[in-house]
Amino acid sequence: MSRRRLGVGVLALGGVLLLQAAVPGGAGAAGNPAERRALQGLRLRYGSARQAGLLEKHLDGVVDEARRFLGPSPEHPYYAGAVVLAGRGRTVALHRAVGEAVRYADYDGRTDRVREFPAAERIAMAEDTVFDLASLTKLFTSLLAVQLMERGQLELEAPVERYLPEFTSGGKELITARQLLTHTSGLRSWAPFYQQPTREERLRLLWSVRPQDTPGTVYRYSDLNLIALQLLVERITSHPLDALLHDEITAPLGMHRTRYNPPLSWRRVTAATEVQRPPWSGLDRGLVWGDVHDENAYALGGVAGHAGIFGTAWDLAILARTLLDGGVYAGKRILRPASVELLFTDYNTAFPGDDHGLGFELYQHWYMGAMATPHSAGHTGFTGTSLVLDPSTDSFLILLGNSVHPVRTWRAGSAPRVAVGNRFARAVPVRTRHGGPAWFSGMETGGCGTLTLPPLTPATAAARLRCAVWWDTVPGEGAFHLEASADGRTWQPLPFSTQRTTGGSPEQWPQGCAGGWSGRIWHRLEAPLSAWAGREVRLRFRHTATGRYVGRGVYVDVVRVSEPARLLFAEDRPADAARIEAVGWTRSAD
């Protein structure tokens, strides 16, 4: 069952009360091998790249990419420091800290100048540095909501007003729990709760907000969705969100460095964030260090559904492993596998490009880089944090940076996240069936290249080009093309078909090009050459990457051109292989 079909199936049931019926094998305890190992009590461990099934040279490059943004990016450093953690399976193969956790004492917005702490007072970044996770908090709030669905206390398609009668005015009575979780409620992105003097008046602001659009008709990322979800969860359980976080998630999983409102004793091991002063901040707080950065979360007492949780990279790795193993870690289960599947199910098929599960963003190249696949899930945080999970490779990547230190205006975009995501994706090898090298297009942004065979003259209309191909490109912004030419100057598309080596029906590509994600599976490619019978023809593969982001690239292997009576070209014959003209393609064994 596909993820999109799964989402439709659950919606047809009217909620998550029948999760086990919606997902085959959803009972969990007798699930897949990964779940069984997790239930046996196995935990994350440090190990080598080889033990994790990763390539060491590219894994080391992840750290190089993270360190690069300590310098001008392009003018100021993107962050003062960062912690990067990456792993596959139960092996954490990379956990490194770069830069400084505390560097800047003050910032002058008029001159764009900073006052740095003396060298002796600065604090270096460490692997166990605690970060303000910012909007990664939304994932935890979503997990708590899905737990309630699993227990039959919350229905996915129920209107929020069933649980929060105050949440009714101005069309909000149409908003459902699912729309809060997938940012399709129609609510505006943000509201200044911190401008209200009391909690009652802050909540009154939420009650009075009207949807900007009819619920379910647009995707708009909104903090208000998760603040409302917090209040809904607290109303159902009669417990505050910070207590629920501890009792339902962090304590069972042993995430001892993840919490709201960290104590003062944590301050020296916590990364500083922003020097908050108007006009770039809504509050005048000076250097924020050890307190929540988000102004609205601060006004709500540090405990909010959209922001406020502090944590470490290792604790986030535990969460990642829990979800990749179907909701269980070290023998402790917080969700059933069917519930986890809902987190990674795209409910936003009506809004292409804004793929979203329950709480988790899906398939987002803008911060996942080449780790983005239709199965990848993750989230970012405004302070410079990010988490990416890729079930297709059983891998996870965490980048925590203090990118608003000293001020939010020094950085823009997600360049470090994309860069480390690309490098880590490259560290997951692509192996040929024979174990040797294949032609690789590379992963350069804006890259292109050609792989051209020598001139051939098929004698019959039965001639065929056959090869193995593996591809992962950004949909609409990258592809590989198969082309033919009589003179080597003017090229035309050559239609072909592909078939997964795992079976299934052939897929036709009449335009002579394919792109997107091929499932991390080799495909058999076949292209008829009937139009070239009796004529000389040159054949080539062409790769293009036209956008800002790239996928894992394209591999071509074991290229052959044959007809019933003879073999015209075979890449595994040294003389033929020597005649291939490669521009922008290289031979790669991984």
Side-chain angles (χ1 to χ4, degrees), residues 453-477:
L453 306 189
L456 304 170
T457 305
T460 71
R464 296 283 190 275
L465 178 147
R466 295 182 176 90
C467 67
V469 64
W470 187 108
W471 72 92
D472 171 26
T473 67
V474 180
E477 297 183 0

Side-chain angles (χ1 to χ4, degrees), residues 439 450-458 465 483-488 491 529 532 535-541 559-562 567-582:
W439 289 104
T450 56
L451 191 66
T452 308
L453 306 189
L456 304 170
T457 305
L465 178 147
E483 299 172 322
S485 173
D487 56 13
W491 296 86
L529 300 177
W532 296 92
R535 295 193 295 154
E536 185 176 87
V537 62
R538 300 203 74 179
L539 305 171
R540 76 177 185 184
F541 297 89
V559 181
R560 292 189 171 206
V561 180
S562 64
L567 187 62
L568 282 73
F569 178 89
E571 185 190 348
D572 49 357
R573 295 192 304 207
D576 285 350
R579 300 174 66 197
I580 295 177
E581 297 177 11

Side-chain angles (χ1 to χ4, degrees), residues 22 43 51 78 98 131 133 140 158 191 208 257 260 283 286 320 338 473-474 479 506 511 527 560:
R43 301 171 180 268
Q51 288 172 322
Y78 188 92
V98 299
F131 285 81
L133 300 180
F140 293 91
S208 66
R257 283 289 186 173
Y260 286 102
L283 297 175
T473 67
V474 180
Q511 303 303 315
R560 292 189 171 206

